[in-house]
mmCIF file of all heavy atoms in Angstrom:
data_model
loop_
_atom_site.group_PDB
_atom_site.id
_atom_site.type_symbol
_atom_site.label_atom_id
_atom_site.label_comp_id
_atom_site.label_asym_id
_atom_site.label_seq_id
_atom_site.Cartn_x
_atom_site.Cartn_y
_atom_site.Cartn_z
ATOM 1 N N PHE S 1 -59.399 67.897 -60.965
ATOM 2 C CA PHE S 1 -60.693 68.572 -61.215
ATOM 3 C C PHE S 1 -61.128 69.472 -60.061
ATOM 4 O O PHE S 1 -62.310 69.919 -59.934
ATOM 5 C CB PHE S 1 -61.787 67.554 -61.559
ATOM 6 C CG PHE S 1 -61.517 66.728 -62.715
ATOM 7 C CD1 PHE S 1 -60.921 65.458 -62.623
ATOM 8 C CD2 PHE S 1 -61.726 67.231 -64.049
ATOM 9 C CE1 PHE S 1 -60.578 64.703 -63.682
ATOM 10 C CE2 PHE S 1 -61.374 66.431 -65.148
ATOM 11 C CZ PHE S 1 -60.765 65.176 -64.945
ATOM 12 N N ARG S 2 -60.279 69.690 -59.098
ATOM 13 C CA ARG S 2 -60.546 70.362 -57.792
ATOM 14 C C ARG S 2 -61.246 71.719 -57.991
ATOM 15 O O ARG S 2 -61.973 72.190 -57.153
ATOM 16 C CB ARG S 2 -59.422 70.386 -56.834
ATOM 17 C CG ARG S 2 -58.302 71.258 -57.324
ATOM 18 C CD ARG S 2 -57.094 71.070 -56.414
ATOM 19 N NE ARG S 2 -57.214 71.857 -55.171
ATOM 20 C CZ ARG S 2 -56.395 72.663 -54.605
ATOM 21 N NH1 ARG S 2 -55.207 72.931 -55.220
ATOM 22 N NH2 ARG S 2 -56.595 73.214 -53.470
ATOM 23 N N GLU S 3 -60.866 72.437 -59.120
ATOM 24 C CA GLU S 3 -61.402 73.810 -59.260
ATOM 25 C C GLU S 3 -62.884 73.724 -59.684
ATOM 26 O O GLU S 3 -63.623 74.691 -59.373
ATOM 27 C CB GLU S 3 -60.615 74.492 -60.344
ATOM 28 C CG GLU S 3 -59.193 74.713 -60.117
ATOM 29 C CD GLU S 3 -58.856 75.475 -58.785
ATOM 30 O OE1 GLU S 3 -59.628 76.257 -58.423
ATOM 31 O OE2 GLU S 3 -57.808 75.152 -58.116
ATOM 32 N N LYS S 4 -63.271 72.572 -60.320
ATOM 33 C CA LYS S 4 -64.657 72.543 -60.800
ATOM 34 C C LYS S 4 -65.533 71.584 -59.950
ATOM 35 O O LYS S 4 -66.749 71.822 -59.898
ATOM 36 C CB LYS S 4 -64.643 72.018 -62.224
ATOM 37 C CG LYS S 4 -63.862 72.867 -63.231
ATOM 38 C CD LYS S 4 -63.895 72.128 -64.624
ATOM 39 C CE LYS S 4 -62.853 72.737 -65.494
ATOM 40 N NZ LYS S 4 -62.619 71.958 -66.711
ATOM 41 N N LEU S 5 -64.966 70.600 -59.459
ATOM 42 C CA LEU S 5 -65.823 69.493 -58.814
ATOM 43 C C LEU S 5 -65.472 69.238 -57.385
ATOM 44 O O LEU S 5 -64.242 69.297 -57.027
ATOM 45 C CB LEU S 5 -65.647 68.211 -59.598
ATOM 46 C CG LEU S 5 -66.040 68.162 -61.059
ATOM 47 C CD1 LEU S 5 -65.616 66.909 -61.755
ATOM 48 C CD2 LEU S 5 -67.582 68.354 -61.187
ATOM 49 N N LYS S 6 -66.423 68.976 -56.500
ATOM 50 C CA LYS S 6 -66.139 68.523 -55.217
ATOM 51 C C LYS S 6 -65.717 67.059 -55.167
ATOM 52 O O LYS S 6 -65.887 66.339 -56.187
ATOM 53 C CB LYS S 6 -67.450 68.652 -54.359
ATOM 54 C CG LYS S 6 -67.906 70.068 -53.976
ATOM 55 C CD LYS S 6 -69.028 69.992 -53.091
ATOM 56 C CE LYS S 6 -69.450 71.348 -52.582
ATOM 57 N NZ LYS S 6 -70.683 71.336 -51.788
ATOM 58 N N PHE S 7 -65.099 66.657 -54.105
ATOM 59 C CA PHE S 7 -64.595 65.310 -54.077
ATOM 60 C C PHE S 7 -65.734 64.318 -54.331
ATOM 61 O O PHE S 7 -65.608 63.329 -55.086
ATOM 62 C CB PHE S 7 -63.959 64.978 -52.724
ATOM 63 C CG PHE S 7 -63.404 63.588 -52.582
ATOM 64 C CD1 PHE S 7 -62.233 63.205 -53.226
ATOM 65 C CD2 PHE S 7 -64.064 62.702 -51.748
ATOM 66 C CE1 PHE S 7 -61.732 61.929 -53.099
ATOM 67 C CE2 PHE S 7 -63.536 61.395 -51.616
ATOM 68 C CZ PHE S 7 -62.343 61.035 -52.317
ATOM 69 N N ASP S 8 -66.869 64.571 -53.729
ATOM 70 C CA ASP S 8 -68.034 63.641 -53.880
ATOM 71 C C ASP S 8 -68.497 63.525 -55.327
ATOM 72 O O ASP S 8 -69.054 62.572 -55.703
ATOM 73 C CB ASP S 8 -69.194 64.121 -52.962
ATOM 74 C CG ASP S 8 -70.258 63.086 -52.773
ATOM 75 O OD1 ASP S 8 -69.828 61.914 -52.572
ATOM 76 O OD2 ASP S 8 -71.455 63.419 -52.754
ATOM 77 N N ASP S 9 -68.369 64.652 -56.126
ATOM 78 C CA ASP S 9 -68.757 64.713 -57.494
ATOM 79 C C ASP S 9 -68.098 63.638 -58.340
ATOM 80 O O ASP S 9 -68.656 63.051 -59.253
ATOM 81 C CB ASP S 9 -68.617 66.062 -58.069
ATOM 82 C CG ASP S 9 -69.511 67.109 -57.453
ATOM 83 O OD1 ASP S 9 -70.552 66.674 -56.889
ATOM 84 O OD2 ASP S 9 -69.139 68.276 -57.420
ATOM 85 N N ILE S 10 -66.735 63.472 -58.036
ATOM 86 C CA ILE S 10 -65.995 62.558 -58.936
ATOM 87 C C ILE S 10 -66.275 61.085 -58.601
ATOM 88 O O ILE S 10 -65.885 60.180 -59.270
ATOM 89 C CB ILE S 10 -64.453 62.808 -58.881
ATOM 90 C CG1 ILE S 10 -63.845 62.469 -57.489
ATOM 91 C CG2 ILE S 10 -64.066 64.229 -59.323
ATOM 92 C CD1 ILE S 10 -62.646 61.730 -57.628
ATOM 93 N N LEU S 11 -67.045 60.892 -57.429
ATOM 94 C CA LEU S 11 -67.270 59.466 -57.046
ATOM 95 C C LEU S 11 -68.648 59.011 -57.581
ATOM 96 O O LEU S 11 -69.023 57.888 -57.230
ATOM 97 C CB LEU S 11 -67.317 59.321 -55.555
ATOM 98 C CG LEU S 11 -66.040 59.837 -54.829
ATOM 99 C CD1 LEU S 11 -66.273 59.825 -53.286
ATOM 100 C CD2 LEU S 11 -64.866 59.015 -55.182
ATOM 101 N N GLN S 12 -69.356 59.843 -58.354
ATOM 102 C CA GLN S 12 -70.730 59.504 -58.788
ATOM 103 C C GLN S 12 -70.725 58.153 -59.566
ATOM 104 O O GLN S 12 -71.784 57.497 -59.549
ATOM 105 C CB GLN S 12 -71.233 60.598 -59.726
ATOM 106 C CG GLN S 12 -71.453 62.003 -58.972
ATOM 107 C CD GLN S 12 -72.378 61.966 -57.768
ATOM 108 O OE1 GLN S 12 -73.295 61.091 -57.792
ATOM 109 N NE2 GLN S 12 -72.094 62.709 -56.763
ATOM 110 N N SER S 13 -69.747 57.769 -60.252
ATOM 111 C CA SER S 13 -69.741 56.577 -61.039
ATOM 112 C C SER S 13 -69.710 55.277 -60.192
ATOM 113 O O SER S 13 -69.915 54.171 -60.695
ATOM 114 C CB SER S 13 -68.598 56.491 -62.063
ATOM 115 O OG SER S 13 -67.324 56.705 -61.366
ATOM 116 N N LEU S 14 -69.354 55.499 -58.966
ATOM 117 C CA LEU S 14 -69.163 54.295 -58.085
ATOM 118 C C LEU S 14 -70.498 53.827 -57.474
ATOM 119 O O LEU S 14 -71.336 54.673 -57.175
ATOM 120 C CB LEU S 14 -68.236 54.596 -56.904
ATOM 121 C CG LEU S 14 -66.741 54.852 -57.281
ATOM 122 C CD1 LEU S 14 -65.966 55.336 -56.159
ATOM 123 C CD2 LEU S 14 -66.006 53.562 -57.747
ATOM 124 N N PRO S 15 -70.722 52.507 -57.259
ATOM 125 C CA PRO S 15 -71.972 52.138 -56.602
ATOM 126 C C PRO S 15 -71.991 52.593 -55.125
ATOM 127 O O PRO S 15 -70.906 52.777 -54.480
ATOM 128 C CB PRO S 15 -71.812 50.571 -56.605
ATOM 129 C CG PRO S 15 -70.352 50.283 -56.796
ATOM 130 C CD PRO S 15 -69.810 51.395 -57.571
ATOM 131 N N GLU S 16 -73.175 52.936 -54.674
ATOM 132 C CA GLU S 16 -73.280 53.445 -53.280
ATOM 133 C C GLU S 16 -73.057 52.267 -52.326
ATOM 134 O O GLU S 16 -73.303 51.120 -52.639
ATOM 135 C CB GLU S 16 -74.738 53.953 -53.116
ATOM 136 C CG GLU S 16 -74.997 55.380 -53.733
ATOM 137 C CD GLU S 16 -74.105 56.363 -53.027
ATOM 138 O OE1 GLU S 16 -74.060 56.443 -51.762
ATOM 139 O OE2 GLU S 16 -73.493 57.252 -53.751
ATOM 140 N N PRO S 17 -72.681 52.606 -51.099
ATOM 141 C CA PRO S 17 -72.551 51.564 -50.036
ATOM 142 C C PRO S 17 -73.950 50.933 -49.834
ATOM 143 O O PRO S 17 -74.969 51.583 -50.121
ATOM 144 C CB PRO S 17 -72.193 52.285 -48.743
ATOM 145 C CG PRO S 17 -71.558 53.584 -49.271
ATOM 146 C CD PRO S 17 -72.188 53.918 -50.625
ATOM 147 N N LYS S 18 -73.974 49.727 -49.365
ATOM 148 C CA LYS S 18 -75.273 48.968 -49.342
ATOM 149 C C LYS S 18 -75.995 49.307 -47.957
ATOM 150 O O LYS S 18 -75.396 49.099 -46.973
ATOM 151 C CB LYS S 18 -74.982 47.502 -49.404
ATOM 152 C CG LYS S 18 -76.222 46.620 -49.676
ATOM 153 C CD LYS S 18 -75.883 45.218 -49.895
ATOM 154 C CE LYS S 18 -75.749 44.473 -48.590
ATOM 155 N NZ LYS S 18 -75.240 43.090 -48.600
ATOM 156 N N LEU S 19 -77.302 49.748 -48.089
ATOM 157 C CA LEU S 19 -78.078 50.021 -46.922
ATOM 158 C C LEU S 19 -78.409 48.678 -46.291
ATOM 159 O O LEU S 19 -78.948 47.771 -46.848
ATOM 160 C CB LEU S 19 -79.403 50.773 -47.394
ATOM 161 C CG LEU S 19 -80.376 51.018 -46.169
ATOM 162 C CD1 LEU S 19 -79.790 51.965 -45.212
ATOM 163 C CD2 LEU S 19 -81.682 51.524 -46.741
ATOM 164 N N VAL S 20 -78.133 48.614 -44.991
ATOM 165 C CA VAL S 20 -78.392 47.332 -44.247
ATOM 166 C C VAL S 20 -79.677 47.487 -43.301
ATOM 167 O O VAL S 20 -80.460 46.579 -43.246
ATOM 168 C CB VAL S 20 -77.182 46.912 -43.468
ATOM 169 C CG1 VAL S 20 -77.422 45.575 -42.678
ATOM 170 C CG2 VAL S 20 -75.990 46.747 -44.330
ATOM 171 N N CYS S 21 -79.685 48.578 -42.643
ATOM 172 C CA CYS S 21 -80.781 48.778 -41.713
ATOM 173 C C CYS S 21 -81.075 50.233 -41.419
ATOM 174 O O CYS S 21 -80.169 51.027 -41.484
ATOM 175 C CB CYS S 21 -80.632 48.000 -40.409
ATOM 176 S SG CYS S 21 -79.010 48.146 -39.703
ATOM 177 N N ARG S 22 -82.293 50.549 -41.008
ATOM 178 C CA ARG S 22 -82.666 51.865 -40.614
ATOM 179 C C ARG S 22 -83.091 51.834 -39.053
ATOM 180 O O ARG S 22 -83.576 50.781 -38.633
ATOM 181 C CB ARG S 22 -83.851 52.370 -41.345
ATOM 182 C CG ARG S 22 -83.551 52.600 -42.870
ATOM 183 C CD ARG S 22 -84.715 53.184 -43.593
ATOM 184 N NE ARG S 22 -84.487 53.456 -44.973
ATOM 185 C CZ ARG S 22 -83.708 54.542 -45.486
ATOM 186 N NH1 ARG S 22 -83.282 55.387 -44.560
ATOM 187 N NH2 ARG S 22 -83.494 54.659 -46.711
ATOM 188 N N PRO S 23 -82.991 52.952 -38.423
ATOM 189 C CA PRO S 23 -83.396 52.921 -37.011
ATOM 190 C C PRO S 23 -84.928 52.847 -36.850
ATOM 191 O O PRO S 23 -85.633 53.321 -37.715
ATOM 192 C CB PRO S 23 -82.906 54.289 -36.487
ATOM 193 C CG PRO S 23 -82.786 55.169 -37.677
ATOM 194 C CD PRO S 23 -82.469 54.285 -38.827
ATOM 195 N N TYR S 24 -85.344 52.268 -35.785
ATOM 196 C CA TYR S 24 -86.856 52.284 -35.446
ATOM 197 C C TYR S 24 -87.268 53.693 -35.070
ATOM 198 O O TYR S 24 -86.438 54.530 -34.620
ATOM 199 C CB TYR S 24 -87.095 51.306 -34.261
ATOM 200 C CG TYR S 24 -87.073 49.863 -34.639
ATOM 201 C CD1 TYR S 24 -85.906 49.127 -34.375
ATOM 202 C CD2 TYR S 24 -88.171 49.252 -35.200
ATOM 203 C CE1 TYR S 24 -85.857 47.779 -34.748
ATOM 204 C CE2 TYR S 24 -88.108 47.872 -35.657
ATOM 205 C CZ TYR S 24 -86.892 47.216 -35.434
ATOM 206 O OH TYR S 24 -86.894 45.877 -35.787
ATOM 207 N N ASP S 25 -88.517 53.982 -35.220
ATOM 208 C CA ASP S 25 -89.070 55.344 -35.004
ATOM 209 C C ASP S 25 -88.834 55.843 -33.547
ATOM 210 O O ASP S 25 -88.647 57.029 -33.393
ATOM 211 C CB ASP S 25 -90.568 55.407 -35.317
ATOM 212 C CG ASP S 25 -90.794 55.193 -36.844
ATOM 213 O OD1 ASP S 25 -89.817 55.456 -37.580
ATOM 214 O OD2 ASP S 25 -91.892 54.937 -37.204
ATOM 215 N N ASP S 26 -88.757 54.876 -32.629
ATOM 216 C CA ASP S 26 -88.665 55.362 -31.221
ATOM 217 C C ASP S 26 -87.209 55.280 -30.783
ATOM 218 O O ASP S 26 -86.920 55.327 -29.568
ATOM 219 C CB ASP S 26 -89.567 54.516 -30.302
ATOM 220 C CG ASP S 26 -89.267 53.012 -30.400
ATOM 221 O OD1 ASP S 26 -88.452 52.595 -31.275
ATOM 222 O OD2 ASP S 26 -89.799 52.188 -29.560
ATOM 223 N N ALA S 27 -86.251 55.063 -31.677
ATOM 224 C CA ALA S 27 -84.880 54.875 -31.269
ATOM 225 C C ALA S 27 -84.265 56.026 -30.389
ATOM 226 O O ALA S 27 -83.719 55.797 -29.361
ATOM 227 C CB ALA S 27 -84.011 54.611 -32.465
ATOM 228 N N GLU S 28 -84.580 57.247 -30.783
ATOM 229 C CA GLU S 28 -83.968 58.354 -30.094
ATOM 230 C C GLU S 28 -84.600 58.511 -28.731
ATOM 231 O O GLU S 28 -83.898 58.825 -27.674
ATOM 232 C CB GLU S 28 -84.131 59.697 -30.822
ATOM 233 C CG GLU S 28 -83.545 60.821 -30.226
ATOM 234 C CD GLU S 28 -82.024 60.780 -29.982
ATOM 235 O OE1 GLU S 28 -81.316 59.939 -30.667
ATOM 236 O OE2 GLU S 28 -81.525 61.511 -29.148
ATOM 237 N N ARG S 29 -85.875 58.153 -28.565
ATOM 238 C CA ARG S 29 -86.576 58.297 -27.262
ATOM 239 C C ARG S 29 -85.882 57.278 -26.332
ATOM 240 O O ARG S 29 -85.794 57.519 -25.095
ATOM 241 C CB ARG S 29 -87.944 57.978 -27.462
ATOM 242 C CG ARG S 29 -88.865 58.112 -26.160
ATOM 243 C CD ARG S 29 -90.297 57.955 -26.455
ATOM 244 N NE ARG S 29 -90.682 56.693 -27.098
ATOM 245 C CZ ARG S 29 -90.844 55.567 -26.427
ATOM 246 N NH1 ARG S 29 -90.545 55.449 -25.109
ATOM 247 N NH2 ARG S 29 -91.162 54.490 -27.057
ATOM 248 N N ILE S 30 -85.460 56.166 -26.822
ATOM 249 C CA ILE S 30 -84.831 55.051 -25.944
ATOM 250 C C ILE S 30 -83.385 55.439 -25.653
ATOM 251 O O ILE S 30 -82.962 55.415 -24.501
ATOM 252 C CB ILE S 30 -84.906 53.699 -26.623
ATOM 253 C CG1 ILE S 30 -86.437 53.270 -26.687
ATOM 254 C CG2 ILE S 30 -84.109 52.678 -25.853
ATOM 255 C CD1 ILE S 30 -86.711 52.043 -27.566
ATOM 256 N N TYR S 31 -82.634 55.762 -26.777
ATOM 257 C CA TYR S 31 -81.194 55.822 -26.587
ATOM 258 C C TYR S 31 -80.636 57.243 -26.228
ATOM 259 O O TYR S 31 -79.517 57.300 -25.664
ATOM 260 C CB TYR S 31 -80.475 55.311 -27.887
ATOM 261 C CG TYR S 31 -80.665 53.766 -27.942
ATOM 262 C CD1 TYR S 31 -81.486 53.204 -28.898
ATOM 263 C CD2 TYR S 31 -80.003 52.918 -27.091
ATOM 264 C CE1 TYR S 31 -81.676 51.841 -28.927
ATOM 265 C CE2 TYR S 31 -80.184 51.572 -27.123
ATOM 266 C CZ TYR S 31 -81.018 50.996 -28.049
ATOM 267 O OH TYR S 31 -81.188 49.653 -28.112
ATOM 268 N N GLY S 32 -81.394 58.294 -26.500
ATOM 269 C CA GLY S 32 -80.975 59.624 -26.115
ATOM 270 C C GLY S 32 -80.673 59.650 -24.559
ATOM 271 O O GLY S 32 -79.542 60.077 -24.176
ATOM 272 N N PRO S 33 -81.702 59.250 -23.788
ATOM 273 C CA PRO S 33 -81.469 59.194 -22.299
ATOM 274 C C PRO S 33 -80.331 58.238 -21.896
ATOM 275 O O PRO S 33 -79.607 58.440 -20.888
ATOM 276 C CB PRO S 33 -82.823 58.682 -21.716
ATOM 277 C CG PRO S 33 -83.804 59.043 -22.848
ATOM 278 C CD PRO S 33 -83.051 58.910 -24.155
ATOM 279 N N MET S 34 -80.158 57.219 -22.625
ATOM 280 C CA MET S 34 -79.054 56.221 -22.302
ATOM 281 C C MET S 34 -77.711 56.886 -22.522
ATOM 282 O O MET S 34 -76.675 56.548 -21.764
ATOM 283 C CB MET S 34 -79.179 54.951 -23.089
ATOM 284 C CG MET S 34 -80.248 54.030 -22.574
ATOM 285 S SD MET S 34 -80.452 52.504 -23.520
ATOM 286 C CE MET S 34 -79.148 51.557 -23.074
ATOM 287 N N VAL S 35 -77.588 57.739 -23.422
ATOM 288 C CA VAL S 35 -76.279 58.436 -23.639
ATOM 289 C C VAL S 35 -76.037 59.306 -22.457
ATOM 290 O O VAL S 35 -74.844 59.375 -21.967
ATOM 291 C CB VAL S 35 -76.332 59.280 -24.975
ATOM 292 C CG1 VAL S 35 -75.054 60.115 -25.112
ATOM 293 C CG2 VAL S 35 -76.408 58.331 -26.164
ATOM 294 N N GLN S 36 -77.030 59.931 -21.967
ATOM 295 C CA GLN S 36 -76.875 60.798 -20.775
ATOM 296 C C GLN S 36 -76.536 59.971 -19.549
ATOM 297 O O GLN S 36 -75.632 60.389 -18.714
ATOM 298 C CB GLN S 36 -78.140 61.652 -20.458
ATOM 299 C CG GLN S 36 -78.501 62.692 -21.546
ATOM 300 C CD GLN S 36 -77.285 63.471 -21.928
ATOM 301 O OE1 GLN S 36 -76.546 63.969 -21.120
ATOM 302 N NE2 GLN S 36 -77.090 63.624 -23.269
ATOM 303 N N ARG S 37 -77.213 58.781 -19.487
ATOM 304 C CA ARG S 37 -76.928 57.890 -18.354
ATOM 305 C C ARG S 37 -75.407 57.463 -18.386
ATOM 306 O O ARG S 37 -74.769 57.381 -17.353
ATOM 307 C CB ARG S 37 -77.902 56.718 -18.397
ATOM 308 C CG ARG S 37 -77.670 55.764 -17.270
ATOM 309 C CD ARG S 37 -78.667 54.584 -17.360
ATOM 310 N NE ARG S 37 -78.534 53.693 -16.203
ATOM 311 C CZ ARG S 37 -79.124 52.515 -16.114
ATOM 312 N NH1 ARG S 37 -79.865 52.060 -17.120
ATOM 313 N NH2 ARG S 37 -78.980 51.742 -15.074
ATOM 314 N N TYR S 38 -74.963 57.154 -19.594
ATOM 315 C CA TYR S 38 -73.503 56.730 -19.743
ATOM 316 C C TYR S 38 -72.594 57.827 -19.255
ATOM 317 O O TYR S 38 -71.679 57.481 -18.453
ATOM 318 C CB TYR S 38 -73.249 56.474 -21.230
ATOM 319 C CG TYR S 38 -71.825 56.240 -21.574
ATOM 320 C CD1 TYR S 38 -71.175 55.052 -21.315
ATOM 321 C CD2 TYR S 38 -71.133 57.388 -22.075
ATOM 322 C CE1 TYR S 38 -69.797 54.988 -21.598
ATOM 323 C CE2 TYR S 38 -69.723 57.186 -22.353
ATOM 324 C CZ TYR S 38 -69.101 56.050 -22.093
ATOM 325 O OH TYR S 38 -67.759 55.881 -22.384
ATOM 326 N N ARG S 39 -72.891 59.015 -19.566
ATOM 327 C CA ARG S 39 -71.969 60.116 -19.138
ATOM 328 C C ARG S 39 -71.924 60.175 -17.594
ATOM 329 O O ARG S 39 -70.873 60.417 -17.067
ATOM 330 C CB ARG S 39 -72.466 61.446 -19.745
ATOM 331 C CG ARG S 39 -72.381 61.587 -21.246
ATOM 332 C CD ARG S 39 -72.840 62.959 -21.651
ATOM 333 N NE ARG S 39 -73.178 63.090 -23.070
ATOM 334 C CZ ARG S 39 -72.255 63.161 -24.016
ATOM 335 N NH1 ARG S 39 -71.006 63.181 -23.665
ATOM 336 N NH2 ARG S 39 -72.569 63.302 -25.244
ATOM 337 N N GLN S 40 -73.081 60.089 -17.024
ATOM 338 C CA GLN S 40 -73.154 60.158 -15.497
ATOM 339 C C GLN S 40 -72.378 58.963 -14.868
ATOM 340 O O GLN S 40 -71.693 59.144 -13.855
ATOM 341 C CB GLN S 40 -74.631 60.162 -15.030
ATOM 342 C CG GLN S 40 -75.335 61.466 -15.349
ATOM 343 C CD GLN S 40 -76.815 61.276 -15.362
ATOM 344 O OE1 GLN S 40 -77.379 60.230 -15.164
ATOM 345 N NE2 GLN S 40 -77.544 62.430 -15.726
ATOM 346 N N LEU S 41 -72.589 57.793 -15.430
ATOM 347 C CA LEU S 41 -71.923 56.614 -14.879
ATOM 348 C C LEU S 41 -70.361 56.744 -15.023
ATOM 349 O O LEU S 41 -69.670 56.351 -14.094
ATOM 350 C CB LEU S 41 -72.361 55.339 -15.651
ATOM 351 C CG LEU S 41 -73.764 54.789 -15.338
ATOM 352 C CD1 LEU S 41 -74.123 53.626 -16.195
ATOM 353 C CD2 LEU S 41 -73.882 54.391 -13.820
ATOM 354 N N ILE S 42 -69.891 57.197 -16.131
ATOM 355 C CA ILE S 42 -68.480 57.402 -16.362
ATOM 356 C C ILE S 42 -67.898 58.375 -15.329
ATOM 357 O O ILE S 42 -66.826 58.193 -14.790
ATOM 358 C CB ILE S 42 -68.154 57.849 -17.838
ATOM 359 C CG1 ILE S 42 -68.546 56.731 -18.811
ATOM 360 C CG2 ILE S 42 -66.684 58.252 -17.986
ATOM 361 C CD1 ILE S 42 -67.854 55.393 -18.611
ATOM 362 N N GLU S 43 -68.615 59.466 -15.175
ATOM 363 C CA GLU S 43 -68.236 60.426 -14.169
ATOM 364 C C GLU S 43 -68.082 59.787 -12.810
ATOM 365 O O GLU S 43 -67.077 60.065 -12.116
ATOM 366 C CB GLU S 43 -69.362 61.556 -14.097
ATOM 367 C CG GLU S 43 -68.702 62.941 -13.811
ATOM 368 C CD GLU S 43 -69.783 64.023 -14.053
ATOM 369 O OE1 GLU S 43 -70.184 64.244 -15.125
ATOM 370 O OE2 GLU S 43 -70.090 64.630 -12.961
ATOM 371 N N GLN S 44 -69.043 58.976 -12.389
ATOM 372 C CA GLN S 44 -68.981 58.333 -11.037
ATOM 373 C C GLN S 44 -67.831 57.391 -11.010
ATOM 374 O O GLN S 44 -67.055 57.342 -10.093
ATOM 375 C CB GLN S 44 -70.288 57.586 -10.813
ATOM 376 C CG GLN S 44 -71.492 58.448 -10.547
ATOM 377 C CD GLN S 44 -72.787 57.720 -10.645
ATOM 378 O OE1 GLN S 44 -72.855 56.433 -10.556
ATOM 379 N NE2 GLN S 44 -73.890 58.404 -10.770
ATOM 380 N N LEU S 45 -67.663 56.539 -12.081
ATOM 381 C CA LEU S 45 -66.637 55.560 -12.104
ATOM 382 C C LEU S 45 -65.255 56.134 -12.088
ATOM 383 O O LEU S 45 -64.308 55.703 -11.412
ATOM 384 C CB LEU S 45 -66.710 54.708 -13.348
ATOM 385 C CG LEU S 45 -67.890 53.635 -13.369
ATOM 386 C CD1 LEU S 45 -68.106 53.051 -14.765
ATOM 387 C CD2 LEU S 45 -67.510 52.506 -12.374
#
């Protein structure tokens, strides 16, 4: 069906993966800087 349907379209009949958790509202504020810190530490190491 590739001419008519995207891959995702043919999967519509399948159950969705199960949602387990969502991020907290302040997650990016905490972890964005930690990703930058990680890069700096790796550079030093």
Side-chain angles (χ1 to χ4, degrees):
F1 302 96
R2 62 187 287 229
E3 301 302 328
K4 300 177 194 166
L5 299 171
K6 287 184 175 175
F7 182 72
D8 196 40
D9 296 332
I10 68 133
L11 305 176
Q12 296 302 327
S13 57
L14 292 170
E16 283 296 315
K18 194 174 85 186
L19 175 66
V20 181
C21 46
R22 293 184 179 281
Y24 285 97
D25 290 343
D26 59 351
E28 184 57 22
R29 184 171 57 77
I30 294 168
Y31 290 107
M34 281 176 76
V35 172
Q36 295 312 314
R37 184 181 181 189
Y38 168 81
R39 293 182 197 284
Q40 289 158 3
L41 287 175
I42 293 302
E43 214 172 294
Q44 290 166 18
L45 284 167

